[in-house]
Amino acid sequence: MKVLINQKQIKRKVKELGEQITKDYPNGVVIVGILKGCTLFLSDLIREVKTDCVIDFIWVKSYNGIRSDTIKLICNTTYNVSSKDVLIVDDIIDTGKTIDFVKKQLLRRGARSVKVCVLLDKEEARKVPVKADYVGFRIPNVFVVGYGLDFNEQYRNLPVVAVL
Ligand code: IMP
Ligand code: MG
């Protein structure tokens, strides 16, 4: 396994993203994390967001091993997002299918605005035209694990992002 992004780089970037989000949402924000990949990134990020903040989660599955599949909704959000400014947080945007699916769900539930924050963006792999508003790192089309990202549910607890 080769380290692609180390702990220091992650920490610095998460702080930057948190500061930007703080500036952009002076009236507060509803953060919706996509489980399970968001967990490490979200928990570090919200500590850097200094504005009123509600946290909710949506659990969707899109992955079988390393092949992107259709999206399955396992567990929906519970907070009422009607007329709220929502920020989706996920580990990575790859084909874009997951973010596209979750964005549509939240807009259907009446969110006033829906923006997207991801730690990693694999732009080359996009199949659905959806873009992230806040991106930590743009990475090439390689399979990565760690800092929330898994391969068959393993490696999420690595404190770095590594190429498998
Ligand atoms: P998308 O729907 O293709 O954009 O995929 C998004 C989801 O696929 C992410 O939330 C991850 O769970 C998973 N995923 C995509 N690329 C990788 C990777 O390189 N390593 C681990 N999981 C990935
Ligand atoms: Mg995920």
Side-chain angles (χ1 to χ4, degrees), residues 86-127:
V86 177
L87 180 65
I88 298 170
V89 173
D90 203 2
D91 49 2
I92 189 165
I93 178 165
D94 183 21
T95 65
K97 287 182 193 172
T98 304
I99 299 289
D100 185 57
F101 176 88
V102 173
K103 219 174 163 173
K104 283 177 180 157
Q105 289 270 333
L106 294 164
L107 287 168
R108 205 176 299 134
R109 287 160 158 243
R112 176 166 54 198
S113 69
V114 181
K115 291 214 260 177
V116 175
C117 175
V118 289
L119 181 74
L120 308 172
D121 187 353
K122 277 192 208 173
E123 265 178 324
E124 288 167 49
R126 204 76 88 252
K127 287 192 184 133

Tab-separated table of all heavy atoms in Angstrom, residues 86-127:
chain	number	residue	atom	x	y	z
A	86	VAL	N	-28.464	22.851	2.912
A	86	VAL	CA	-27.902	21.535	3.224
A	86	VAL	C	-26.530	21.372	2.558
A	86	VAL	O	-26.321	21.787	1.414
A	86	VAL	CB	-28.850	20.413	2.735
A	86	VAL	CG1	-28.244	19.040	2.995
A	86	VAL	CG2	-30.213	20.530	3.415
A	87	LEU	N	-25.625	20.764	3.300
A	87	LEU	CA	-24.312	20.433	2.753
A	87	LEU	C	-24.101	18.928	2.878
A	87	LEU	O	-24.055	18.383	3.987
A	87	LEU	CB	-23.210	21.189	3.522
A	87	LEU	CG	-21.780	20.931	3.050
A	87	LEU	CD1	-21.563	21.443	1.622
A	87	LEU	CD2	-20.775	21.604	3.994
A	88	ILE	N	-23.982	18.260	1.739
A	88	ILE	CA	-23.699	16.816	1.724
A	88	ILE	C	-22.203	16.617	1.931
A	88	ILE	O	-21.385	17.294	1.296
A	88	ILE	CB	-24.112	16.198	0.363
A	88	ILE	CG1	-25.615	16.336	0.118
A	88	ILE	CG2	-23.686	14.743	0.273
A	88	ILE	CD1	-26.046	15.964	-1.301
A	89	VAL	N	-21.851	15.695	2.812
A	89	VAL	CA	-20.428	15.392	3.031
A	89	VAL	C	-20.167	13.919	2.731
A	89	VAL	O	-20.846	13.038	3.267
A	89	VAL	CB	-19.999	15.724	4.480
A	89	VAL	CG1	-18.582	15.251	4.752
A	89	VAL	CG2	-20.099	17.229	4.736
A	90	ASP	N	-19.213	13.672	1.858
A	90	ASP	CA	-18.829	12.285	1.570
A	90	ASP	C	-17.319	12.176	1.435
A	90	ASP	O	-16.623	13.184	1.296
A	90	ASP	CB	-19.541	11.782	0.306
A	90	ASP	CG	-19.630	10.248	0.264
A	90	ASP	OD1	-19.189	9.579	1.221
A	90	ASP	OD2	-20.138	9.715	-0.741
A	91	ASP	N	-16.846	10.942	1.461
A	91	ASP	CA	-15.416	10.709	1.340
A	91	ASP	C	-14.908	11.022	-0.065
A	91	ASP	O	-13.878	11.654	-0.232
A	91	ASP	CB	-15.071	9.248	1.722
A	91	ASP	CG	-15.957	8.211	1.029
A	91	ASP	OD1	-16.826	8.588	0.207
A	91	ASP	OD2	-15.781	7.012	1.310
A	92	ILE	N	-15.673	10.566	-1.082
A	92	ILE	CA	-15.155	10.655	-2.448
A	92	ILE	C	-16.298	10.781	-3.444
A	92	ILE	O	-17.377	10.253	-3.222
A	92	ILE	CB	-14.286	9.401	-2.753
A	92	ILE	CG1	-13.528	9.531	-4.074
A	92	ILE	CG2	-15.118	8.124	-2.761
A	92	ILE	CD1	-12.401	8.512	-4.242
A	93	ILE	N	-16.048	11.508	-4.517
A	93	ILE	CA	-16.987	11.498	-5.641
A	93	ILE	C	-16.273	10.828	-6.812
A	93	ILE	O	-15.186	11.234	-7.214
A	93	ILE	CB	-17.544	12.908	-5.953
A	93	ILE	CG1	-18.469	12.887	-7.156
A	93	ILE	CG2	-16.461	13.948	-6.136
A	93	ILE	CD1	-19.326	14.139	-7.322
A	94	ASP	N	-16.903	9.765	-7.292
A	94	ASP	CA	-16.275	8.907	-8.298
A	94	ASP	C	-17.110	9.008	-9.582
A	94	ASP	O	-16.937	9.945	-10.357
A	94	ASP	CB	-16.229	7.488	-7.703
A	94	ASP	CG	-15.549	6.463	-8.578
A	94	ASP	OD1	-14.762	6.851	-9.444
A	94	ASP	OD2	-15.796	5.257	-8.396
A	95	THR	N	-18.050	8.093	-9.801
A	95	THR	CA	-18.914	8.216	-10.981
A	95	THR	C	-19.893	9.381	-10.818
A	95	THR	O	-20.423	9.900	-11.800
A	95	THR	CB	-19.756	6.940	-11.203
A	95	THR	OG1	-20.654	6.777	-10.104
A	95	THR	CG2	-18.882	5.718	-11.359
A	96	GLY	N	-20.171	9.753	-9.571
A	96	GLY	CA	-21.123	10.829	-9.297
A	96	GLY	C	-22.520	10.320	-8.991
A	96	GLY	O	-23.398	11.086	-8.585
A	97	LYS	N	-22.740	9.022	-9.160
A	97	LYS	CA	-24.092	8.459	-8.990
A	97	LYS	C	-24.621	8.632	-7.569
A	97	LYS	O	-25.790	8.944	-7.370
A	97	LYS	CB	-24.094	6.971	-9.351
A	97	LYS	CG	-23.985	6.721	-10.849
A	97	LYS	CD	-24.049	5.233	-11.141
A	97	LYS	CE	-23.639	4.922	-12.573
A	97	LYS	NZ	-23.518	3.481	-12.802
A	98	THR	N	-23.763	8.398	-6.589
A	98	THR	CA	-24.190	8.493	-5.185
A	98	THR	C	-24.618	9.922	-4.845
A	98	THR	O	-25.706	10.140	-4.307
A	98	THR	CB	-23.042	8.061	-4.241
A	98	THR	OG1	-22.629	6.742	-4.615
A	98	THR	CG2	-23.470	8.084	-2.792
A	99	ILE	N	-23.759	10.880	-5.157
A	99	ILE	CA	-24.041	12.284	-4.832
A	99	ILE	C	-25.294	12.747	-5.580
A	99	ILE	O	-26.152	13.427	-5.011
A	99	ILE	CB	-22.835	13.184	-5.211
A	99	ILE	CG1	-21.587	12.788	-4.430
A	99	ILE	CG2	-23.175	14.656	-5.032
A	99	ILE	CD1	-21.593	13.117	-2.955
A	100	ASP	N	-25.407	12.363	-6.836
A	100	ASP	CA	-26.560	12.739	-7.652
A	100	ASP	C	-27.845	12.224	-7.001
A	100	ASP	O	-28.821	12.967	-6.862
A	100	ASP	CB	-26.382	12.151	-9.059
A	100	ASP	CG	-27.469	12.592	-10.007
A	100	ASP	OD1	-27.625	13.821	-10.178
A	100	ASP	OD2	-28.185	11.730	-10.561
A	101	PHE	N	-27.821	10.982	-6.556
A	101	PHE	CA	-28.968	10.337	-5.911
A	101	PHE	C	-29.347	11.072	-4.614
A	101	PHE	O	-30.507	11.430	-4.397
A	101	PHE	CB	-28.618	8.875	-5.623
A	101	PHE	CG	-29.662	8.102	-4.873
A	101	PHE	CD1	-30.689	7.444	-5.550
A	101	PHE	CD2	-29.614	8.010	-3.486
A	101	PHE	CE1	-31.652	6.726	-4.852
A	101	PHE	CE2	-30.576	7.292	-2.779
A	101	PHE	CZ	-31.593	6.649	-3.456
A	102	VAL	N	-28.355	11.333	-3.781
A	102	VAL	CA	-28.608	11.962	-2.476
A	102	VAL	C	-29.070	13.411	-2.656
A	102	VAL	O	-29.992	13.873	-1.980
A	102	VAL	CB	-27.349	11.877	-1.579
A	102	VAL	CG1	-27.525	12.675	-0.294
A	102	VAL	CG2	-27.030	10.420	-1.258
A	103	LYS	N	-28.456	14.111	-3.597
A	103	LYS	CA	-28.836	15.502	-3.886
A	103	LYS	C	-30.320	15.577	-4.272
A	103	LYS	O	-31.073	16.406	-3.766
A	103	LYS	CB	-27.962	15.991	-5.044
A	103	LYS	CG	-27.514	17.422	-4.900
A	103	LYS	CD	-26.550	17.813	-5.993
A	103	LYS	CE	-26.477	19.333	-6.036
A	103	LYS	NZ	-25.449	19.816	-6.952
A	104	LYS	N	-30.728	14.678	-5.160
A	104	LYS	CA	-32.124	14.660	-5.618
A	104	LYS	C	-33.084	14.357	-4.470
A	104	LYS	O	-34.150	14.965	-4.372
A	104	LYS	CB	-32.300	13.658	-6.755
A	104	LYS	CG	-31.760	14.209	-8.067
A	104	LYS	CD	-31.853	13.213	-9.201
A	104	LYS	CE	-31.296	13.828	-10.484
A	104	LYS	NZ	-30.857	12.803	-11.436
A	105	GLN	N	-32.703	13.415	-3.605
A	105	GLN	CA	-33.521	13.084	-2.430
A	105	GLN	C	-33.779	14.326	-1.575
A	105	GLN	O	-34.884	14.581	-1.136
A	105	GLN	CB	-32.795	12.070	-1.535
A	105	GLN	CG	-32.692	10.679	-2.080
A	105	GLN	CD	-33.876	9.833	-1.658
A	105	GLN	OE1	-34.481	10.079	-0.622
A	105	GLN	NE2	-34.220	8.861	-2.479
A	106	LEU	N	-32.700	15.079	-1.322
A	106	LEU	CA	-32.787	16.226	-0.419
A	106	LEU	C	-33.571	17.374	-1.050
A	106	LEU	O	-34.324	18.066	-0.368
A	106	LEU	CB	-31.383	16.671	-0.005
A	106	LEU	CG	-30.643	15.638	0.859
A	106	LEU	CD1	-29.158	15.933	0.915
A	106	LEU	CD2	-31.228	15.596	2.265
A	107	LEU	N	-33.409	17.558	-2.350
A	107	LEU	CA	-34.171	18.603	-3.039
A	107	LEU	C	-35.648	18.241	-3.062
A	107	LEU	O	-36.510	19.094	-2.858
A	107	LEU	CB	-33.637	18.813	-4.463
A	107	LEU	CG	-32.282	19.526	-4.532
A	107	LEU	CD1	-31.682	19.447	-5.930
A	107	LEU	CD2	-32.404	20.993	-4.090
A	108	ARG	N	-35.938	16.964	-3.244
A	108	ARG	CA	-37.319	16.489	-3.234
A	108	ARG	C	-37.963	16.735	-1.868
A	108	ARG	O	-39.155	16.981	-1.769
A	108	ARG	CB	-37.353	14.995	-3.576
A	108	ARG	CG	-38.681	14.546	-4.166
A	108	ARG	CD	-38.657	13.076	-4.583
A	108	ARG	NE	-37.655	12.804	-5.599
A	108	ARG	CZ	-36.810	11.769	-5.566
A	108	ARG	NH1	-36.829	10.918	-4.558
A	108	ARG	NH2	-35.952	11.587	-6.529
A	109	ARG	N	-37.143	16.666	-0.819
A	109	ARG	CA	-37.657	16.906	0.533
A	109	ARG	C	-37.694	18.391	0.897
A	109	ARG	O	-37.886	18.744	2.044
A	109	ARG	CB	-36.799	16.150	1.548
A	109	ARG	CG	-37.060	14.669	1.505
A	109	ARG	CD	-35.916	13.916	2.124
A	109	ARG	NE	-36.370	12.600	2.541
A	109	ARG	CZ	-36.385	12.192	3.797
A	109	ARG	NH1	-35.965	12.977	4.768
A	109	ARG	NH2	-36.823	11.005	4.091
A	110	GLY	N	-37.450	19.249	-0.098
A	110	GLY	CA	-37.682	20.675	0.099
A	110	GLY	C	-36.508	21.497	0.584
A	110	GLY	O	-36.683	22.647	1.018
A	111	ALA	N	-35.295	20.955	0.520
A	111	ALA	CA	-34.118	21.739	0.928
A	111	ALA	C	-34.045	23.007	0.074
A	111	ALA	O	-34.357	22.984	-1.120
A	111	ALA	CB	-32.856	20.914	0.744
A	112	ARG	N	-33.645	24.130	0.707
A	112	ARG	CA	-33.535	25.386	-0.051
A	112	ARG	C	-32.318	25.346	-0.974
A	112	ARG	O	-32.361	25.785	-2.116
A	112	ARG	CB	-33.416	26.563	0.918
A	112	ARG	CG	-33.211	27.881	0.190
A	112	ARG	CD	-33.427	29.067	1.068
A	112	ARG	NE	-32.615	29.000	2.275
A	112	ARG	CZ	-32.870	29.722	3.363
A	112	ARG	NH1	-33.900	30.536	3.394
A	112	ARG	NH2	-32.091	29.621	4.419
A	113	SER	N	-31.219	24.839	-0.453
A	113	SER	CA	-30.026	24.693	-1.284
A	113	SER	C	-29.318	23.410	-0.877
A	113	SER	O	-29.412	22.987	0.273
A	113	SER	CB	-29.089	25.890	-1.091
A	113	SER	OG	-28.520	25.860	0.204
A	114	VAL	N	-28.658	22.795	-1.847
A	114	VAL	CA	-27.880	21.588	-1.548
A	114	VAL	C	-26.507	21.728	-2.198
A	114	VAL	O	-26.396	21.822	-3.426
A	114	VAL	CB	-28.564	20.302	-2.060
A	114	VAL	CG1	-27.725	19.080	-1.697
A	114	VAL	CG2	-29.968	20.156	-1.506
A	115	LYS	N	-25.473	21.775	-1.365
A	115	LYS	CA	-24.103	21.794	-1.885
A	115	LYS	C	-23.381	20.521	-1.434
A	115	LYS	O	-23.874	19.779	-0.583
A	115	LYS	CB	-23.355	23.041	-1.410
A	115	LYS	CG	-23.904	24.319	-2.059
A	115	LYS	CD	-22.807	25.342	-2.302
A	115	LYS	CE	-22.786	26.414	-1.238
A	115	LYS	NZ	-21.659	27.367	-1.461
A	116	VAL	N	-22.220	20.305	-2.023
A	116	VAL	CA	-21.511	19.037	-1.813
A	116	VAL	C	-20.070	19.291	-1.392
A	116	VAL	O	-19.368	20.102	-2.004
A	116	VAL	CB	-21.518	18.219	-3.128
A	116	VAL	CG1	-20.683	16.955	-2.987
A	116	VAL	CG2	-22.939	17.888	-3.560
A	117	CYS	N	-19.639	18.581	-0.349
A	117	CYS	CA	-18.244	18.653	0.100
A	117	CYS	C	-17.671	17.244	0.143
A	117	CYS	O	-18.216	16.372	0.827
A	117	CYS	CB	-18.180	19.284	1.482
A	117	CYS	SG	-16.533	19.286	2.200
A	118	VAL	N	-16.600	17.028	-0.592
A	118	VAL	CA	-15.937	15.710	-0.578
A	118	VAL	C	-14.454	15.877	-0.299
A	118	VAL	O	-13.851	16.888	-0.672
A	118	VAL	CB	-16.100	14.957	-1.926
A	118	VAL	CG1	-17.522	14.476	-2.132
A	118	VAL	CG2	-15.636	15.796	-3.101
A	119	LEU	N	-13.885	14.882	0.362
A	119	LEU	CA	-12.442	14.928	0.584
A	119	LEU	C	-11.712	14.703	-0.737
A	119	LEU	O	-10.754	15.386	-1.048
A	119	LEU	CB	-12.016	13.856	1.598
A	119	LEU	CG	-10.525	13.868	1.886
A	119	LEU	CD1	-10.141	15.061	2.751
A	119	LEU	CD2	-10.067	12.566	2.519
A	120	LEU	N	-12.200	13.733	-1.514
A	120	LEU	CA	-11.507	13.348	-2.744
A	120	LEU	C	-12.424	13.432	-3.954
A	120	LEU	O	-13.614	13.140	-3.859
A	120	LEU	CB	-10.993	11.905	-2.627
A	120	LEU	CG	-10.161	11.561	-1.392
A	120	LEU	CD1	-9.906	10.059	-1.341
A	120	LEU	CD2	-8.844	12.330	-1.399
A	121	ASP	N	-11.845	13.822	-5.078
A	121	ASP	CA	-12.600	13.897	-6.324
A	121	ASP	C	-11.822	13.170	-7.417
A	121	ASP	O	-10.690	13.526	-7.728
A	121	ASP	CB	-12.811	15.373	-6.719
A	121	ASP	CG	-13.728	15.528	-7.928
A	121	ASP	OD1	-14.094	14.511	-8.544
A	121	ASP	OD2	-14.068	16.682	-8.262
A	122	LYS	N	-12.462	12.108	-7.969
A	122	LYS	CA	-11.867	11.398	-9.120
A	122	LYS	C	-12.597	11.894	-10.358
A	122	LYS	O	-13.506	11.218	-10.860
A	122	LYS	CB	-12.154	9.891	-8.992
A	122	LYS	CG	-11.234	9.116	-8.109
A	122	LYS	CD	-11.504	7.622	-8.365
A	122	LYS	CE	-11.194	6.785	-7.173
A	122	LYS	NZ	-11.618	5.379	-7.355
A	123	GLU	N	-12.222	13.071	-10.830
A	123	GLU	CA	-12.953	13.714	-11.934
A	123	GLU	C	-13.049	12.848	-13.190
A	123	GLU	O	-14.070	12.834	-13.856
A	123	GLU	CB	-12.285	15.041	-12.288
A	123	GLU	CG	-12.915	16.235	-11.591
A	123	GLU	CD	-12.208	17.538	-11.914
A	123	GLU	OE1	-10.966	17.528	-12.049
A	123	GLU	OE2	-12.908	18.557	-12.040
A	124	GLU	N	-11.960	12.125	-13.480
A	124	GLU	CA	-11.902	11.303	-14.706
A	124	GLU	C	-12.954	10.205	-14.736
A	124	GLU	O	-13.297	9.712	-15.802
A	124	GLU	CB	-10.554	10.568	-14.794
A	124	GLU	CG	-9.365	11.385	-15.097
A	124	GLU	CD	-8.102	10.555	-14.825
A	124	GLU	OE1	-8.026	9.408	-15.298
A	124	GLU	OE2	-7.209	11.069	-14.120
A	125	ALA	N	-13.422	9.797	-13.559
A	125	ALA	CA	-14.318	8.638	-13.469
A	125	ALA	C	-15.794	9.015	-13.572
A	125	ALA	O	-16.664	8.149	-13.534
A	125	ALA	CB	-14.073	7.907	-12.158
A	126	ARG	N	-16.077	10.311	-13.721
A	126	ARG	CA	-17.467	10.781	-13.671
A	126	ARG	C	-18.326	10.202	-14.792
A	126	ARG	O	-17.934	10.196	-15.950
A	126	ARG	CB	-17.495	12.303	-13.740
A	126	ARG	CG	-18.756	12.861	-13.119
A	126	ARG	CD	-18.769	12.858	-11.592
A	126	ARG	NE	-18.180	14.050	-11.051
A	126	ARG	CZ	-17.007	14.086	-10.445
A	126	ARG	NH1	-16.302	12.970	-10.268
A	126	ARG	NH2	-16.514	15.204	-9.995
A	127	LYS	N	-19.525	9.691	-14.424
A	127	LYS	CA	-20.478	9.185	-15.413
A	127	LYS	C	-21.756	10.001	-15.399
A	127	LYS	O	-22.526	9.969	-16.339
A	127	LYS	CB	-20.807	7.721	-15.112
A	127	LYS	CG	-19.656	6.794	-15.467
A	127	LYS	CD	-20.066	5.340	-15.456
A	127	LYS	CE	-18.869	4.441	-15.708
A	127	LYS	NZ	-18.814	3.333	-14.750
